[in-house]
């Protein structure tokens, strides 16, 4: 069972004023010297999201503030640092959803460092849209004002998104074809704002050397990303095809909804309930696909942020509290053994 500890949170904190941020920076294999590079940027991402919430911004703004930090950091498989596809180009997928049930998913985004900001801007006019990154969208970005180009991290050639870190890993054959790699993960963020509203976002370069045009689970609503104010919000990471075939997120959302129908405060009354659901659904995923899988972060309605994975590790950052005070905040790599690793010295204890 993997969960964020809730023990230090005071019961005097009113649930509806509680805010939560949880991010992931990918799940998979653990490479100490590389995976630990993610800790500081994950902490920064959590901080950036929290600042938005403290300012009273809606949950989706907080999600994008966190995603941008990780998309801009070469130690994550998103934005600058995304894996190239079979043609050597970083093609990214992003899904952003808010709990009032609107989403924007963009597939095969090119020459953009912060696809989450593009998705947020496209969401503002209130529609839901799943779109490939068309030639027209690329032309609009190419012709945009400098201010917009900067906001989106627009670059004039594909190779500018290939980071030295990724090139080195590829040169040393450290990433299998078709893997999203343990040290170098997809990024995701799930937020509950002070009004109890959810948002979730997931951003990825996909699996290494993917077939040109291939889409994984990341931008698919109900799989890589989901938010519904009445149920939960979640974000996944891992082998996209396996997560899609296993309907992992769908079963988890369905379980949460069933529990909430029985008791609207189920996750407050039984804090272990979310772990029970995650344990059950991840066991099922592992049974169906023993060699593949991934991880997930989730906040159920009325409950605390939780995470789970069936891979060697998942990288996590989170913060929970109110606008006036932080109750808990941490960033770490959670190993399957149950250990939480924050720095290399933790491994030698
Ligand atoms: N799920 C992503 C994909 O399959 C990769 C990842 O999360 O690591 O594209």
């Amino acid at each position: 069972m993997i969960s964020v500890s809730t023990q230090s949170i005071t019961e005097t904190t009113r649930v509806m004023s509680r805010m939560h941020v949880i991010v992931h920076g990918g799940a998979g294999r653990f490479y100490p010297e590389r995976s630990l590079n993610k800790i500081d940027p994950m902490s920064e991402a959590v901080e950036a999201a929290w600042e938005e919430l403290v300012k009273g911004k809606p949950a989706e703004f907080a999600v994008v503030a966190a995603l941008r930090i990780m998309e801009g950091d070469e130690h994550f498989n998103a934005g600058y640092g995304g894996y190239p596809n079979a043609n050597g180009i970083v093609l990214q997928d992003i899904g952003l959803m808010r709990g009032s049930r609107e989403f924007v998913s963009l597939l095969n985004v090119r020459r953009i460092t912060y696809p989450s900001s593009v998705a947020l801007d496209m969401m503002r006019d209130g529609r839901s849209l799943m779109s490939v990154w068309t030639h027209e969208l690329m032309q609009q970005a190419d012709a945009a004002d400098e201010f917009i180009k900067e906001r989106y991290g627009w670059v004039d050639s594909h190779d500018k998104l290939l980071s030295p870190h990724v090139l080195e890993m590829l040169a040393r054959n450290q990433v299998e074809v078709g893997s999203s790699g343990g040290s170098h993960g997809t990024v995701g963020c799930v937020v509950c704002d002070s009004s109890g509203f959810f948002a979730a976002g997931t951003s990825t370069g996909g699996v290494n050397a993917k077939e040109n045009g291939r889409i994984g689970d990341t931008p698919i609503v109900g799989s890589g990303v989901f938010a519904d104010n009445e149920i939960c919000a979640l974000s996944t990471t891992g082998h996209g095809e396996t997560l899609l075939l296993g309907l992992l997120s769908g079963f988890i959302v369905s379980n949460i909804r069933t529990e909430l129908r029985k008791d609207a405060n189920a996750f407050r009354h039984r804090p272990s309930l979310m772990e029970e659901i995650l344990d059950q659904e991840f066991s099922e995923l592992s049974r169906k696909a023993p060699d593949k899988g991934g991880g997930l972060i989730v906040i159920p309605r009325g409950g605390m942020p939780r995470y789970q994975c069936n891979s060697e590790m998942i990288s996590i950052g989170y913060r929970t509290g109110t606008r006036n005070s932080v109750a808990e905040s941490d960033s770490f790599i959670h190993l399957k053994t149950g250990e939480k690793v924050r720095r290399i010295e933790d491994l030698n204890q």
Side-chain angles (χ1 to χ4, degrees):
M1 184 181 79
I2 302 176
S3 72
V4 172
S5 159
T6 60
Q7 284 158 15
S8 63
I9 293 175
T10 59
E11 281 312 312
T12 51
T13 313
R14 275 183 49 238
V15 167
M16 286 313 281
S17 64
R18 234 179 231 179
M19 314 190 304
H20 307 290
V21 171
I22 182 163
V23 304
H24 70 73
R29 291 183 56 196
F30 180 54
Y31 302 88
E33 69 293 351
R34 302 202 321 245
S35 304
L36 291 167
N37 286 326
K38 297 198 267 192
I39 304 285
D40 288 346
M42 283 193 309
S43 301
E44 271 177 57
V46 168
E47 177 69 40
W50 196 258
E51 274 175 20
E52 293 292 285
L53 294 183
V54 168
K55 280 188 238 159
K57 292 279 185 68
E60 63 274 19
F61 283 70
V63 165
V64 170
L67 293 182
R68 281 178 63 92
I69 304 264
M70 297 186 284
E71 287 169 336
D73 188 300
E74 66 168 341
H75 298 106
F76 299 92
N77 175 22
Y80 177 64
Y83 282 127
N85 70 0
N87 297 348
I89 292 172
V90 179
L91 282 189
Q92 306 168 68
D93 301 324
I94 167 84
L96 180 67
M97 181 163 181
R98 57 181 170 204
S100 44
R101 301 191 332 127
E102 295 139 312
F103 73 89
V104 172
S105 291
L106 297 171
L107 323 179
N108 281 192
V109 178
R110 300 185 298 279
R111 289 202 279 114
I112 295 289
T113 311
Y114 308 113
S116 56
S117 285
V118 183
L120 182 63
D121 288 355
M122 291 176 81
M123 188 179 251
R124 273 190 203 152
D125 57 15
R127 66 185 165 176
S128 286
L129 172 76
M130 174 177 264
S131 172
V132 289
W133 188 245
T134 56
H135 189 59
E136 287 75 13
L137 284 171
M138 189 72 255
Q139 281 179 326
Q140 281 170 25
D142 287 348
D145 293 347
E146 279 313 309
F147 163 75
I148 297 286
K149 281 184 171 161
E150 209 167 298
R151 177 172 157 72
Y152 294 168
W154 174 90
V155 291
D156 59 7
S157 65
H158 292 297
D159 54 312
K160 293 202 175 133
L161 291 184
L162 282 170
S163 77
H165 182 65
V166 167
L167 291 173
E168 190 188 318
M169 282 195 292
L170 296 177
R172 292 191 186 178
N173 272 330
Q174 286 175 330
V175 200
E176 291 161 44
V177 169
S179 151
S180 56
S183 68
H184 198 68
T186 290
V187 302
C189 179
V190 174
V191 164
C192 177
D193 68 21
S194 62
S195 308
F197 295 149
F198 288 131
T202 315
S203 181
T204 189
V207 294
N208 177 37
K210 65 188 178 189
E211 206 170 307
N212 193 24
R214 175 263 186 196
I215 310 291
D217 60 313
T218 299
I220 308 296
V221 167
S223 188
V225 64
F226 183 72
D228 183 322
N229 289 334
E230 294 177 2
I231 310 172
C232 69
L234 61 77
S235 164
T236 62
T237 177
H239 188 249
E241 287 76 0
T242 300
L243 298 175
L244 285 166
L245 286 167
L247 204 64
L248 176 75
S249 301
F251 286 124
I252 289 171
V253 173
S254 165
N255 272 296
I256 295 173
R257 190 176 70 158
T258 301
E259 294 298 339
L260 287 169
R261 279 179 172 168
K262 286 190 272 179
D263 172 5
N265 292 310
F267 294 89
R268 198 140 41 94
H269 290 153
R270 245 173 86 198
S272 63
L273 184 55
M274 193 63 245
E275 277 96 48
E276 289 164 27
I277 293 172
L278 291 175
D279 284 350
Q280 180 181 306
E281 294 308 329
F282 271 88
S283 306
E284 183 62 11
L285 182 74
S286 301
R287 188 182 69 79
K288 289 205 163 149
D291 309 325
K292 301 260 192 226
L296 174 145
I297 54 177
V298 60
I299 308 176
R301 180 168 169 76
M304 299 294 293
R306 293 286 188 262
Y307 61 93
Q308 177 67 287
C309 71
N310 67 344
S311 45
E312 225 169 83
M313 68 96 204
I314 182 165
S315 35
I316 294 292
Y318 76 95
R319 184 171 293 187
T320 181
T322 64
R323 276 166 87 168
N324 301 326
S325 72
V326 171
E328 273 193 57
S329 192
D330 202 357
S331 297
F332 47 84
I333 304 288
H334 195 119
L335 301 182
K336 215 174 179 176
T337 56
E339 276 171 280
K340 286 182 184 170
V341 185
R342 296 171 185 87
R343 57 197 75 80
I344 211 93
E345 300 83 69
D346 294 348
L347 290 166
N348 307 323
Q349 284 171 6

Short mmCIF file of all heavy atoms in Angstrom, two decimals, residues 238-259:
data_model
loop_
_atom_site.label_atom_id
_atom_site.label_comp_id
_atom_site.label_asym_id
_atom_site.label_seq_id
_atom_site.Cartn_x
_atom_site.Cartn_y
_atom_site.Cartn_z
N GLY A 238 3.00 5.79 -17.14
CA GLY A 238 3.37 4.40 -17.35
C GLY A 238 3.16 3.99 -18.79
O GLY A 238 3.01 4.84 -19.67
N HIS A 239 3.14 2.69 -19.02
CA HIS A 239 3.02 2.19 -20.39
C HIS A 239 1.59 2.43 -20.90
O HIS A 239 0.63 1.78 -20.45
CB HIS A 239 3.38 0.70 -20.42
CG HIS A 239 3.46 0.16 -21.80
ND1 HIS A 239 2.57 -0.74 -22.31
CD2 HIS A 239 4.33 0.44 -22.80
CE1 HIS A 239 2.88 -1.01 -23.56
NE2 HIS A 239 3.95 -0.31 -23.88
N GLY A 240 1.47 3.38 -21.82
CA GLY A 240 0.15 3.86 -22.23
C GLY A 240 -0.79 2.78 -22.72
O GLY A 240 -1.96 2.73 -22.32
N GLU A 241 -0.28 1.89 -23.56
CA GLU A 241 -1.15 0.86 -24.13
C GLU A 241 -1.70 -0.04 -23.02
O GLU A 241 -2.88 -0.41 -23.01
CB GLU A 241 -0.39 0.02 -25.17
CG GLU A 241 -0.11 0.75 -26.50
CD GLU A 241 1.02 1.79 -26.42
OE1 GLU A 241 1.61 1.96 -25.33
OE2 GLU A 241 1.31 2.44 -27.44
N THR A 242 -0.84 -0.37 -22.05
CA THR A 242 -1.26 -1.24 -20.94
C THR A 242 -2.33 -0.54 -20.09
O THR A 242 -3.33 -1.15 -19.69
CB THR A 242 -0.04 -1.60 -20.05
OG1 THR A 242 0.90 -2.26 -20.87
CG2 THR A 242 -0.43 -2.47 -18.88
N LEU A 243 -2.11 0.74 -19.83
CA LEU A 243 -3.06 1.48 -18.99
C LEU A 243 -4.40 1.64 -19.71
O LEU A 243 -5.47 1.56 -19.09
CB LEU A 243 -2.49 2.85 -18.60
CG LEU A 243 -1.20 2.79 -17.77
CD1 LEU A 243 -0.62 4.18 -17.54
CD2 LEU A 243 -1.44 2.10 -16.43
N LEU A 244 -4.34 1.83 -21.03
CA LEU A 244 -5.58 1.92 -21.80
C LEU A 244 -6.31 0.58 -21.82
O LEU A 244 -7.51 0.50 -21.55
CB LEU A 244 -5.28 2.35 -23.25
CG LEU A 244 -4.91 3.82 -23.46
CD1 LEU A 244 -4.29 4.02 -24.85
CD2 LEU A 244 -6.13 4.72 -23.30
N LEU A 245 -5.56 -0.49 -22.13
CA LEU A 245 -6.19 -1.82 -22.23
C LEU A 245 -6.76 -2.27 -20.89
O LEU A 245 -7.79 -2.93 -20.85
CB LEU A 245 -5.14 -2.85 -22.71
CG LEU A 245 -4.76 -2.77 -24.18
CD1 LEU A 245 -3.51 -3.61 -24.44
CD2 LEU A 245 -5.90 -3.24 -25.05
N GLY A 246 -6.09 -1.91 -19.80
CA GLY A 246 -6.53 -2.35 -18.48
C GLY A 246 -7.66 -1.49 -17.92
O GLY A 246 -8.23 -1.83 -16.90
N LEU A 247 -7.97 -0.40 -18.56
CA LEU A 247 -9.00 0.54 -18.11
C LEU A 247 -8.80 0.92 -16.65
O LEU A 247 -9.74 1.05 -15.88
CB LEU A 247 -10.40 -0.08 -18.32
CG LEU A 247 -11.56 0.90 -18.46
CD1 LEU A 247 -11.41 1.76 -19.71
CD2 LEU A 247 -12.89 0.16 -18.49
N LEU A 248 -7.53 1.04 -16.27
CA LEU A 248 -7.18 1.27 -14.87
C LEU A 248 -7.94 2.46 -14.27
O LEU A 248 -8.63 2.33 -13.25
CB LEU A 248 -5.66 1.50 -14.74
CG LEU A 248 -5.19 1.85 -13.33
CD1 LEU A 248 -5.20 0.61 -12.45
CD2 LEU A 248 -3.80 2.47 -13.34
N SER A 249 -7.83 3.61 -14.91
CA SER A 249 -8.47 4.81 -14.33
C SER A 249 -9.98 4.66 -14.30
O SER A 249 -10.63 5.07 -13.33
CB SER A 249 -8.10 6.04 -15.16
OG SER A 249 -6.71 6.19 -15.18
N GLY A 250 -10.52 4.07 -15.34
CA GLY A 250 -11.99 3.89 -15.41
C GLY A 250 -12.51 3.09 -14.23
O GLY A 250 -13.50 3.46 -13.60
N PHE A 251 -11.80 1.98 -13.93
CA PHE A 251 -12.25 1.15 -12.80
C PHE A 251 -12.10 1.91 -11.47
O PHE A 251 -12.93 1.80 -10.59
CB PHE A 251 -11.48 -0.17 -12.75
CG PHE A 251 -11.91 -1.12 -13.84
CD1 PHE A 251 -10.99 -1.63 -14.74
CD2 PHE A 251 -13.24 -1.49 -13.96
CE1 PHE A 251 -11.38 -2.51 -15.75
CE2 PHE A 251 -13.65 -2.37 -14.96
CZ PHE A 251 -12.71 -2.87 -15.85
N ILE A 252 -11.03 2.68 -11.36
CA ILE A 252 -10.81 3.42 -10.11
C ILE A 252 -11.91 4.49 -9.93
O ILE A 252 -12.51 4.60 -8.86
CB ILE A 252 -9.39 4.03 -10.09
CG1 ILE A 252 -8.38 2.90 -9.91
CG2 ILE A 252 -9.24 5.09 -9.00
CD1 ILE A 252 -6.92 3.28 -10.07
N VAL A 253 -12.21 5.22 -10.99
CA VAL A 253 -13.26 6.24 -10.92
C VAL A 253 -14.60 5.58 -10.57
O VAL A 253 -15.36 6.07 -9.73
CB VAL A 253 -13.37 7.03 -12.26
CG1 VAL A 253 -14.57 7.96 -12.25
CG2 VAL A 253 -12.09 7.81 -12.54
N SER A 254 -14.86 4.46 -11.18
CA SER A 254 -16.13 3.77 -10.94
C SER A 254 -16.24 3.31 -9.48
O SER A 254 -17.28 3.47 -8.84
CB SER A 254 -16.20 2.58 -11.90
OG SER A 254 -17.20 1.71 -11.49
N ASN A 255 -15.13 2.78 -8.95
CA ASN A 255 -15.14 2.38 -7.53
C ASN A 255 -15.38 3.56 -6.60
O ASN A 255 -16.12 3.47 -5.63
CB ASN A 255 -13.77 1.78 -7.17
CG ASN A 255 -13.70 0.31 -7.44
OD1 ASN A 255 -14.42 -0.47 -6.85
ND2 ASN A 255 -12.84 -0.08 -8.37
N ILE A 256 -14.73 4.69 -6.91
CA ILE A 256 -14.89 5.88 -6.06
C ILE A 256 -16.35 6.34 -6.10
O ILE A 256 -16.96 6.63 -5.08
CB ILE A 256 -13.94 7.01 -6.52
CG1 ILE A 256 -12.48 6.61 -6.33
CG2 ILE A 256 -14.25 8.32 -5.78
CD1 ILE A 256 -11.46 7.59 -6.91
N ARG A 257 -16.91 6.36 -7.29
CA ARG A 257 -18.30 6.81 -7.43
C ARG A 257 -19.24 5.89 -6.65
O ARG A 257 -20.18 6.35 -5.98
CB ARG A 257 -18.70 6.87 -8.91
CG ARG A 257 -20.04 7.55 -9.09
CD ARG A 257 -20.40 7.69 -10.54
NE ARG A 257 -20.71 6.40 -11.13
CZ ARG A 257 -21.43 6.24 -12.22
NH1 ARG A 257 -21.90 7.29 -12.85
NH2 ARG A 257 -21.67 5.04 -12.71
N THR A 258 -19.00 4.60 -6.73
CA THR A 258 -19.86 3.65 -6.01
C THR A 258 -19.81 3.93 -4.50
O THR A 258 -20.84 3.96 -3.82
CB THR A 258 -19.38 2.20 -6.29
OG1 THR A 258 -19.47 2.00 -7.69
CG2 THR A 258 -20.20 1.17 -5.57
N GLU A 259 -18.60 4.16 -3.98
CA GLU A 259 -18.46 4.43 -2.54
C GLU A 259 -19.15 5.74 -2.16
O GLU A 259 -19.80 5.83 -1.12
CB GLU A 259 -16.98 4.48 -2.14
CG GLU A 259 -16.23 3.17 -2.28
CD GLU A 259 -16.79 2.06 -1.40
OE1 GLU A 259 -17.47 2.37 -0.40
OE2 GLU A 259 -16.54 0.88 -1.72
#
